């Protein structure tokens, strides 16, 4: 609910940005890595059996297995550069020691990684052929590649496997509820869902996010905000006043101590008081009407003006009447400045 409210502000409702506030969860990778193979195998077989595809997938896998047993694995590896590079990356330690050994294709050649590219590749091919020819160490990697590149299997999965649903199920099975999770608030740019930091977006967004999070997320708290209007469009400054009213008089029951130079913010509060007196709440946002069905009254607001005095800071209380007007003159430098410019 909190993110929904904030995203309403970031999106079409107010700020009209392409950004969305998201919650991301992280878990220790070493805690889940060992669970992945069994969870994946179990999920795939359960899915196939549940959907009635058991015999069909078994037939495809049996056919693949038979073809795999009959094929020349060395030739298969050499004809697939991606698989070859993958195997070399996994066997780099073996290559280092093997290149210096008395193996049929080896020899005391020093650092394998420093060999000329053509010579290094040939020795790598010799090593892969040697391993494939003498033991089954690399069979799982070759078999996995063989399956992934099978048109029959890929076609079957594309037609019958809901990848999004399967991915969610896999996550649930490898991340048990008791596992420690780290949560992070992040921004994403839509529609590409690109993760961005607060440094990547406008200053106004980074300014308003903490204000909204506290206003919508805190309850029965004293929230102090210094100049919430900084870097915010004048129209949004007024909208922030509605946020403060809703948070203070609605279910959150927060108390705000706001230091501001924004007449837009003050004028919105005065306007809401006047509309309450006149019982004209029909144009209020739905969230504000729901939070404050009885509106806002002068006793809900205290406006204090701070100015230099002979003995330090001087605080002047400015009372507001039911018509949303100050009952005394506003100190110099604020509302009358607009009148001077206009007239």
């Amino acid at each position: 609910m909190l993110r929904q409210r904030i995203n309403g502000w970031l999106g079409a409702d107010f700020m009209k940005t392409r950004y969305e506030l998201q919650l991301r969860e992280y878990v220790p990778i070493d805690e889940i890595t060992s669970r992945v193979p069994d969870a994946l195998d179990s999920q795939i077989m359960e899915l196939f059996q549940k959907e009635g595809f058991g015999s069909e997938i078994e037939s495809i896998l049996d056919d693949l297995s038979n073809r795999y047993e009959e094929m020349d694995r060395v030739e298969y590896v050499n004809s697939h550069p991606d698989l070859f590079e993958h195997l070399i990356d996994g066997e780099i330690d073996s290559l280092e020691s093997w290149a210096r050994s008395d193996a049929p294709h080896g020899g005391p050649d020093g650092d394998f990684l420093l060999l000329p590219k053509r010579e290094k590749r040939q020795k790598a091919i010799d090593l892969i052929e040697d391993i494939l020819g003498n033991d089954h160490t690399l069979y799982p990697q070759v078999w996995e590649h063989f399956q992934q590149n099978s048109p029959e299997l890929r076609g079957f999965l594309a037609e019958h496997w809901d990848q999004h649903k399967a991915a969610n199920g896999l996550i649930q099975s490898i991340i048990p509820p008791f596992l420690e999770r780290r949560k992070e608030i992040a921004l994403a740019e839509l529609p590409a869902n690109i993760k961005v930091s607060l440094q990547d977006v406008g200053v106004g967004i980074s300014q308003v996010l903490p204000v909204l999070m506290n206003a919508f997320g805190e309850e029965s708290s004293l929230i102090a905000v210094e100049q919430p209007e900084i870097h915010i469009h004048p129209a949004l400054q007024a909208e922030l006043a509605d946020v403060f009213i809703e948070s203070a008089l609605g279910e959150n029951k927060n108390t705000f101590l706001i230091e501001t130079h924004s007449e837009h913010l003050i004028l919105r509060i005065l306007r809401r008081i006047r509309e309450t007196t006149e019982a004209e709440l029909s144009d209020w946002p739905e969230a504000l009407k729901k939070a404050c069905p009885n509106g806002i009254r002068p006793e809900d607001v205290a406006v204090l003006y701070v100015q230099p005095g002979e003995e330090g800071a001087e605080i002047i209380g400015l009372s507001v009447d039911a018509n949303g007007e100050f009952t005394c003159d506003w100190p110099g430098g604020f509302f009358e400045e607009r009148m001077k410019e206009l007239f």
Side-chain angles (χ1 to χ4, degrees):
M1 181 62 179
L2 175 60
R3 278 188 292 140
Q4 182 179 353
R5 295 296 307 278
I6 294 175
N7 285 330
W9 252 79
L10 293 177
D13 292 350
F14 296 106
M15 299 190 77
K16 297 178 173 47
T17 74
R18 295 173 297 174
Y19 301 109
E20 179 182 76
L21 192 68
Q22 297 181 348
L23 179 65
R24 293 187 171 91
E25 291 189 351
Y26 299 89
V27 294
I29 190 169
D30 56 339
E31 294 283 346
I32 64 172
T33 302
S34 61
R35 295 186 176 95
V36 172
D38 289 342
L40 187 58
D41 288 344
S42 174
Q43 186 196 50
I44 291 176
M45 293 312 298
E46 180 181 349
L47 175 66
F48 288 146
Q49 292 171 0
K50 179 180 179 181
E51 300 296 334
F53 298 136
S55 60
E56 186 175 350
I57 188 61
E58 288 177 8
S59 174
I60 293 175
L61 291 176
D62 286 344
D63 180 59
L64 282 175
S65 179
N66 293 334
R67 285 157 48 194
Y68 176 73
E69 290 300 324
E70 296 172 359
M71 77 179 188
D72 184 331
R73 294 184 182 82
V74 174
E75 181 180 347
Y76 181 82
V77 170
N78 287 334
S79 62
H80 292 84
D82 60 324
L83 175 57
F84 177 82
E85 295 297 333
H86 171 69
L87 295 178
I88 292 303
D89 289 341
E91 296 295 324
I92 196 67
D93 291 336
S94 298
L95 282 169
E96 286 280 14
S97 59
W98 175 85
R100 301 187 184 94
S101 71
D102 295 327
H105 303 292
D109 293 318
D111 193 339
F112 172 79
L113 295 175
L114 299 180
L115 292 175
K117 185 174 181 180
R118 179 178 299 178
E119 186 176 348
K120 181 167 62 176
R121 179 175 177 80
Q122 183 55 53
K123 286 186 174 295
I125 291 175
D126 292 341
L127 173 64
I128 296 299
E129 291 178 346
D130 198 33
I131 294 177
L132 286 172
N134 292 293
D135 61 54
H136 296 171
T137 307
L138 300 182
Y139 277 22
Q141 295 97 309
V142 180
W143 169 238
E144 180 181 1
H145 185 276
F146 184 60
Q147 291 183 83
Q148 291 174 348
N149 289 272
S150 164
E152 300 93 333
L153 184 58
R154 291 172 66 90
F156 178 86
L157 294 177
E159 181 179 356
H160 299 298
W161 196 11
D162 185 335
Q163 297 184 34
H164 180 73
K165 181 179 178 182
N168 286 334
L170 178 62
I171 291 174
Q172 294 301 320
S173 62
I174 65 176
I175 306 180
F178 60 81
L179 193 63
E180 178 185 358
R181 301 174 187 226
R182 175 186 172 189
K183 295 183 179 181
E184 176 190 62
I185 294 293
L187 281 175
E189 184 175 3
L190 304 178
N193 200 35
I194 299 173
K195 183 179 179 180
V196 295
S197 69
L198 292 177
Q199 289 77 18
D200 299 324
V201 300
V203 179
I205 295 177
S206 60
Q207 172 79 15
V208 80
L209 278 179
V211 177
L212 298 175
M213 286 182 180
N214 282 276
F216 294 140
E218 294 292 329
E219 293 182 359
S220 302
S221 299
L222 173 62
I223 302 174
V225 187
E226 182 180 9
Q227 299 186 60
E229 71 273 9
I230 291 182
H231 305 297
I232 301 296
H233 188 281
L236 293 177
Q237 296 176 26
E239 297 296 343
L240 273 179
D242 282 347
V243 170
F244 297 139
I245 295 171
E246 177 187 342
S247 180
L249 302 182
E251 294 181 353
N252 295 76
K253 294 294 186 291
N254 291 313
T255 300
F256 287 90
L257 178 60
I258 302 170
E259 188 273 322
T260 181
H261 297 101
S262 172
E263 64 179 60
H264 303 287
L265 193 154
I266 297 296
L267 286 172
R268 174 60 66 86
I269 294 176
L270 297 179
R271 170 187 163 187
R272 295 307 189 202
I273 293 174
R274 182 177 66 254
E275 291 172 338
T276 297
T277 301
E278 297 173 354
E280 295 181 355
L281 311 186
S282 58
D283 292 335
W284 284 24
E286 289 301 319
L288 186 59
K289 285 193 290 187
K290 181 180 179 180
C292 312
N294 298 320
I296 176 174
R297 303 186 183 282
E299 54 267 28
D300 297 321
V301 181
V303 181
L304 304 176
Y305 183 82
V306 182
Q307 66 181 15
E310 293 182 358
E311 299 182 359
E314 181 179 329
I315 300 176
I316 303 173
L318 304 174
S319 59
V320 179
D321 63 20
N323 295 318
E325 296 179 356
F326 291 111
T327 58
C328 57
D329 292 336
W330 183 267
F334 278 82
F335 294 103
E336 73 273 13
E337 296 301 317
R338 174 191 293 180
M339 302 300 293
K340 293 178 182 178
E341 298 298 331
L342 291 175
F343 303 101

